[in-house]
């Protein structure tokens, strides 16, 4: 996902799925970056796609906390010189720990040091662990450091919190607000008719979207594929509505964001990011349009307070 800034010499490697790049992941990656700088080597973060569970447990589809572009951006933001994407295939899942180490770490990345979380497993049937890796490190000439896990922080836990609407708890584990990205598409224009035009965000399949409800957060456009973002550098406090349409079976949860005090934004077709700061309430059926508008005004003021 980009050239190394230090050429093609030996490297310090850290590897994992790294979905979410949460606070536990950050500790591992930051340690790899520190070792690389101490030793004058390039640092490489290896991530896998698709998620191994998708191949090993068909139909499980772990919900994504971060897409590939966002994941690479976050890893680079931690100081790694290079993000290496490895396609996770059935053949790879059947590779022995020794072959995996030789092909990826020794030959492809020329590892001088490998940094992983203390619960790291690899190889066919997850037969290899940190001690296996240390033994193979002696064989292939690299050192191994295992970073202690951060208690209670995991991608699985964050997915659960997001699914429950606990975006504040998710943010505590992530070290930043949970983000959903997607393309703005035309909706039913109901928000505009009520005086609160929303960006209707179409998210990629299997995105981790918070439970139905109304949230405070932020909306911004993000660049894609070397294209600058619309309204580049701008980030707006937003009232966010998450819900499903019961009329159509199988329609995924939708995300709509109203940028406070902005009715002039032209966002159709733009790639946007929605960051969730706090859950305000669940979805409610109102007896009249007037009652709905009154509640939206209250939501907007709550968002203003929470994002100021």
């Amino acid at each position: 996902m980009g050239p190394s800034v230090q050429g093609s010499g030996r490297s310090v490697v850290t590897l994992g799925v790294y979905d979410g790049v949460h606070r536990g992941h950050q500790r591992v990656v930051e340690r790899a970056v520190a070792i690389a700088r101490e030793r004058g080597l390039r640092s490489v973060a290896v991530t896998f796609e698709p998620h191994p569970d998708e191949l090993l447990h068909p139909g499980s589809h772990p919900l994504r906390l971060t897409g590939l572009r966002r994941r690479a951006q976050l890893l680079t933001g931690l100081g790694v010189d290079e993000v290496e994407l490895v396609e996770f295939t059935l053949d790879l899942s059947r590779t022995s720990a020794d072959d995996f180490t030789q092909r990826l770490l020794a030959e492809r990345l020329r590892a001088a040091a490998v940094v992983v979380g203390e619960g790291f497993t690899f190889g066919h049937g997850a037969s290899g662990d940190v001690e296996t890796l240390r033994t193979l490190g002696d064989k292939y000439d690299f050192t191994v450091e295992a970073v202690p896990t951060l208690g209670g922080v995991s991608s699985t836990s964050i997915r659960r919190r997001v699914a429950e609407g606990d975006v504040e708890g998710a943010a505590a584990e992530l070290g930043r607000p949970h983000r959903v990205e997607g393309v703005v598409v035309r909706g039913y224009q109901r928000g505009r008719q009520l005086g609160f035009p929303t960006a209707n965000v179409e998210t990629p399949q299997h995105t981790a979207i918070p439970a139905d409800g109304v949230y405070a957060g932020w909306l911004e456009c993000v660049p894609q594929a070397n294209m600058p973002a619309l309204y580049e550098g701008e980030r707006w406090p937003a009232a966010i509505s998450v819900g499903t349409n019961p009329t159509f079976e199988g329609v995924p949860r939708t995300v709509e964001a109203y940028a406070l005090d902005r009715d002039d934004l032209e966002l159709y077709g733009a790639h946007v990011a929605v960051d969730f700061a706090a859950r305000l309430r669940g979805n409610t059926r109102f007896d009249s349009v007037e009652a709905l508008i009154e509640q939206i005004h209250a939501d907007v003021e709550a968002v203003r307070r929470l994002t100021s």
Side-chain angles (χ1 to χ4, degrees):
M1 283 194 178
S4 165
V5 297
Q6 298 185 44
S8 57
R10 301 197 70 187
S11 64
V12 177
V13 180
T14 182
L15 65 164
V17 177
Y18 285 140
D19 185 26
V21 193
H22 56 60
R23 288 172 54 227
H25 295 152
Q26 292 164 30
R27 286 175 52 161
V28 178
V29 175
E30 287 168 350
R31 181 60 187 146
V33 169
I35 293 172
R37 289 175 178 169
E38 289 167 5
R39 298 175 63 171
L41 302 173
R42 82 191 199 278
S43 54
V44 180
V46 175
T47 185
F48 299 90
E49 181 69 17
H51 194 291
D53 282 353
E54 290 192 30
L55 262 74
L56 302 178
H57 308 287
S60 61
H61 299 303
L63 296 179
R64 288 172 176 267
L65 299 172
T66 48
L68 279 178
R69 187 203 63 84
R70 175 67 168 161
R71 202 182 312 166
Q73 179 188 59
L74 291 167
L75 290 168
T76 302
L78 294 171
V80 297
D81 298 317
E82 183 178 343
V83 177
E84 185 84 9
L85 174 64
V86 173
E87 182 182 3
F88 193 87
T89 63
L90 285 174
D91 283 345
L92 182 63
S93 73
R94 294 164 180 156
T95 301
S96 70
D98 194 313
D99 284 350
F100 175 89
T101 302
Q102 180 184 4
R103 294 175 191 176
L104 178 65
L105 299 177
E107 296 176 357
R108 180 167 163 181
L109 299 177
R110 299 189 62 202
V114 176
V115 182
V116 294
E118 62 183 3
F120 178 74
T121 59
F122 68 113
H124 181 56
S127 57
D129 57 13
V130 172
E131 289 309 311
T132 309
L133 190 60
R134 287 199 170 103
T135 300
L136 291 168
D138 292 338
K139 179 178 179 179
Y140 293 110
D141 190 28
F142 59 78
T143 61
V144 174
E145 181 169 330
V147 177
T149 55
L150 197 58
V153 176
S154 71
S155 298
T156 300
S157 170
I158 295 167
R159 290 188 193 101
R160 177 181 53 78
R161 290 184 182 276
V162 169
E164 293 171 352
D166 180 14
V167 294
E168 291 172 278
E173 292 191 42
L174 286 164
R176 63 182 184 280
H178 175 58
R179 169 171 288 195
V180 166
E181 294 190 22
V183 176
V184 178
V185 298
R186 291 192 181 275
Y188 294 104
Q189 307 284 310
R190 289 171 185 149
R192 186 172 295 278
Q193 293 165 12
L194 297 173
F196 302 93
T198 60
N200 190 335
V201 184
E202 185 174 77
T203 57
Q205 192 177 25
H206 308 310
T207 294
I209 297 174
D212 290 4
V214 177
Y215 297 81
W218 294 270
L219 171 69
E220 68 176 292
C221 296
V222 293
Q224 286 290 299
N226 301 319
M227 294 291 290
L230 292 171
Y231 308 101
E232 191 164 9
E234 295 189 58
R235 175 177 167 89
W236 309 288
I240 306 157
S241 174
V242 178
T244 55
N245 189 331
T247 305
F248 302 100
E249 186 177 344
V251 171
R253 194 170 282 122
T254 60
V255 178
E256 297 182 60
Y258 164 63
L260 267 56
D261 308 319
R262 296 297 300 264
D263 59 6
D264 59 332
L265 300 176
E266 295 293 339
L267 296 176
Y268 292 121
H271 192 99
V272 300
V274 178
D275 288 338
F276 291 83
R279 190 170 195 254
L280 302 180
R281 60 180 176 86
N283 285 342
T284 306
R285 185 178 182 87
F286 293 90
D287 295 330
S288 67
V289 172
E290 291 75 19
L292 171 59
I293 292 174
E294 183 178 351
Q295 181 60 60
I296 294 174
H297 278 291
D299 294 338
V300 165
E301 290 312 306
V303 171
R304 205 181 301 280
R305 289 193 304 271
L306 287 165
T307 58
S308 62

